[in-house]
Amino acid sequence: MGAVPAPTGRPVAPGPGSRKLPSHKTQKESDRIAVNLTRWTIRLPGTQRRHAAATRGAETGGVPQARGERAEPVPRGGPPGRGVDALAVHELLGEVSAPVAVVHGDDHVVAYANRAYTALFGERAPGGPAHAALPELAGLGLLPLLDQVRRSGTPRALKSRRVPAALSTRGRDLSYTFTCTPIRLTAADGTDTAGVLIFGADVTDQVVTAERLRDSERRQREAAVTLQRSLLPQELEQPDDLRVAAVYRPGGTETAVGGDWYDVITLGAGRTALVIGDVMGRGVRAAAVMGQLRTAVRAYARLDLPPNEVLQLLDGLAADIDASQIATCVYAVHDPSEETLLYASAGHLPILVRDPGGGVRRAAGPTGPPLGTGGWLHTSETMAFGPGASAVLCTDGLVERRDADIDDGLESLERAFAASLADSPRIVCDRLLRAMGITDGHDDDVAVLAVTCPQREGETADLFRGAELDLLGGVEATPRARAFADGVLASWRFPEELRELGVLAASELVANSLQHGKAPMRLRLRRTDRRLTVEVTDGDEHLPRHRRARPADEAGRGIAVVAAIATEWGTRRLPDGGKAVWAEFALPGTPAHGI
């Protein structure tokens, strides 16, 4: 709006730049207009430039002349750039359906409030300071904003400000976005003063819609988190030779839940599978795919396959579940007899192992592509993991940041892991989360699995012992195995009944290996504080099966006998060829466990 002289109060004939009040305007309202706005001329930011541009456009006819043509001069008496007088401004703002108020001066004296404003907040008398004449501005936090706008000369806004029912005449809570724009007011005597035009936009419907959308997203997220947590292990299995702990942290409230998962699976013969994975994507779908993969891992674990074969099966299954979904995974098997971790990785972060001395190293084996991509032959690798060692398996949410390289995150994790020496796995998980800055508002899911192989001394060490006997074959192999087993179990002070069962299992397994296997053969006895394990290995890869022998059969009952007397039994192929057949016996007072 261009600056125009303030009306003098004398009758003026209507002209092209003025407007008559409609006939329905009362004299009282006309007087209020004179008090409110006719004393001032309003200049909005930029109006002088726009008025000058409009005047130049009028002088040139509004269309630039063609190259080489001369512009026809417009007579000086032609129509000037059109201005808007104070009465026209009042009528214009009065017809606006949004609340508008104008204040000026250091105290923000009220100069004008349109009908929409008074309809929203009630009648407001002009002439007083805003904190008294417009008390709702204080309740809405607009008074400090008026000071900022007046000092800076820059428009400012308060978005989606709640207008309580107590402040308005509508009787319900509303939401408005208030924009405060600096203006210049020129009095009739030519005095300029800084003012602010307050404009309110009703955004109640948008705010209600946004709240409903947030509520819907919150319910969906809660459902996904509930599904995610229900698919994770409710309680981790605690192997005899390891101490394990895990933690899962969903992303912040604005982050859809992902498909992170972990698991600990006891395989028998003291061996334990450690699994961690991450399904790409978010929401219920990612959690559902995660649940299917975790169930499949436990099923494949019962087959006691090498880690690379487990990942190979998962790769095909992931493609069958959803060709558009991929997942990363690490599957590792701890063997306490060999003091090793046998592992395979499908696109996942490396395992971190901390040695008893405090040094941290990464699993150096090759990492294959994620599950679901196909066309890759996964391989297994071995790393040492003996008493006193600890390991951490985690998902990328722990180390990946948008503003940093993931290798930097891994190095930070290594330093934090090295500093958590002698801590329990539970404390290690908590320390790593704090060290890596994982809070409730973190933008990604995080899963951490911490494992420790404790060092045992004194009386505790006597409860974890092992003995081995190499067998050369021949008719004397079985008697040697029985004598060896009886002597070892007697030295371990087992009850007589358990000792007899252990000797019988050793005799049957050695006899089965002599008949169906080949050299080299070995008998291994191992005890923990909870169970006795009898294991026989040989060079043949044919796995024996538990079958029902017919009455006329002279053989085939050895495995049936072992299955009948043992708490658990099983078979597996060895990484370097051959097989192992084992039987476990729970010690008195120890509950049996399944695989």
Side-chain angles (χ1 to χ4, degrees), residues 225-444:
V225 170
T226 301
L227 175 62
Q228 172 91 339
R229 292 194 180 278
S230 67
L231 294 174
L232 290 174
Q234 302 305 303
E235 184 177 354
L236 286 178
E237 299 180 24
Q238 292 294 333
D240 296 353
D241 296 275
L242 297 176
R243 297 293 176 264
V244 297
V247 63
Y248 168 72
R249 289 281 184 88
T253 56
E254 300 299 325
T255 305
V257 69
D260 297 14
W261 95 91
Y262 55 83
D263 211 344
V264 177
I265 310 167
T266 53
L267 302 176
R271 299 162 65 252
T272 304
L274 309 170
V275 192
I276 196 164
D278 185 3
V279 177
M280 303 303 173
R282 299 188 180 277
V284 175
R285 180 59 183 167
V289 173
M290 175 274 290
Q292 296 178 76
L293 291 178
R294 177 174 174 262
T295 302
V297 168
R298 295 193 70 87
Y300 296 148
R302 292 187 64 87
L303 302 176
D304 212 341
L305 300 172
N308 62 301
E309 294 187 25
V310 172
L311 293 189
Q312 211 71 50
L313 293 172
L314 286 175
D315 186 31
L317 179 64
D320 292 340
I321 293 174
D322 189 341
S324 63
Q325 291 273 13
I326 60 174
T328 63
C329 180
V330 166
Y331 185 93
V333 176
H334 173 247
D335 190 334
S337 299
E338 302 291 341
E339 297 184 354
T340 59
L341 273 179
L342 182 67
Y343 67 93
S345 175
H348 204 82
L349 296 177
I351 302 173
L352 297 184
V353 173
R354 187 186 62 209
D355 297 323
V360 176
R361 52 195 168 91
R362 303 181 191 179
T367 298
L371 303 176
T373 56
W376 185 265
L377 190 62
H378 292 277
T379 58
S380 296
E381 298 292 335
T382 302
M383 62 190 310
F385 193 77
S390 299
V392 164
L393 297 82
C394 66
T395 56
D396 58 3
L398 183 64
V399 298
E400 192 173 33
R401 302 292 182 270
R402 300 182 186 277
D403 57 349
D405 191 274
I406 194 169
D407 285 334
D408 297 336
L410 281 173
E411 291 174 0
S412 299
L413 179 61
E414 289 177 357
R415 290 191 294 269
F417 188 28
S420 61
L421 194 64
D423 290 335
S424 69
R426 179 75 253 183
I427 296 177
V428 168
C429 290
D430 295 338
R431 282 181 180 273
L432 294 183
L433 290 177
R434 289 196 300 269
M436 300 305 293
I438 305 302
T439 63
D440 292 338
H442 191 59
D443 61 357
D444 196 5

Side-chain angles (χ1 to χ4, degrees), residues 240 243 456 463-464 527-531 587 590:
D240 296 353
R243 297 293 176 264
R456 296 178 173 88
L463 300 177
F464 292 81
R527 69 155 298 171
T528 67
D529 58 343
R530 290 186 281 183
R531 71 195 80 253
L587 300 188
T590 303

Side-chain angles (χ1 to χ4, degrees), residues 93-327:
L93 297 181
E95 295 299 324
V96 173
S97 59
V100 176
V102 176
V103 298
H104 66 90
D106 294 337
D107 293 333
H108 306 301
V109 177
V110 180
Y112 173 73
N114 71 347
R115 285 190 295 272
Y117 192 97
T118 57
L120 177 62
F121 296 111
E123 289 294 330
R124 297 291 184 261
H131 67 83
L134 305 179
E136 59 277 358
L137 298 187
L140 296 172
L142 284 171
L143 291 180
L145 192 68
L146 296 178
D147 293 332
Q148 296 177 19
V149 171
R150 190 172 183 274
R151 287 195 303 266
S152 66
T154 304
R156 297 180 183 272
L158 286 180
K159 296 184 178 180
S160 303
R161 183 58 57 128
R162 177 174 168 270
V163 180
L167 290 182
S168 72
T169 60
R170 305 283 178 85
R172 62 188 180 92
D173 290 348
L174 303 170
S175 295
Y176 275 79
T177 291
F178 292 95
T179 303
C180 299
T181 304
I183 58 176
R184 299 295 300 177
L185 297 175
T186 303
D189 59 2
T191 304
D192 270 7
T193 184
V196 180
L197 185 145
I198 306 167
F199 181 89
D202 188 353
V203 294
T204 304
D205 291 342
Q206 295 92 318
V207 170
V208 170
T209 301
E211 289 177 351
R212 289 174 180 171
L213 179 60
R214 284 194 295 268
D215 287 343
S216 176
E217 292 175 345
R218 177 182 53 80
R219 289 192 296 269
Q220 291 182 10
R221 184 178 184 277
E222 289 176 352
V225 170
T226 301
L227 175 62
Q228 172 91 339
R229 292 194 180 278
S230 67
L231 294 174
L232 290 174
Q234 302 305 303
E235 184 177 354
L236 286 178
E237 299 180 24
Q238 292 294 333
D240 296 353
D241 296 275
L242 297 176
R243 297 293 176 264
V244 297
V247 63
Y248 168 72
R249 289 281 184 88
T253 56
E254 300 299 325
T255 305
V257 69
D260 297 14
W261 95 91
Y262 55 83
D263 211 344
V264 177
I265 310 167
T266 53
L267 302 176
R271 299 162 65 252
T272 304
L274 309 170
V275 192
I276 196 164
D278 185 3
V279 177
M280 303 303 173
R282 299 188 180 277
V284 175
R285 180 59 183 167
V289 173
M290 175 274 290
Q292 296 178 76
L293 291 178
R294 177 174 174 262
T295 302
V297 168
R298 295 193 70 87
Y300 296 148
R302 292 187 64 87
L303 302 176
D304 212 341
L305 300 172
N308 62 301
E309 294 187 25
V310 172
L311 293 189
Q312 211 71 50
L313 293 172
L314 286 175
D315 186 31
L317 179 64
D320 292 340
I321 293 174
D322 189 341
S324 63
Q325 291 273 13
I326 60 174

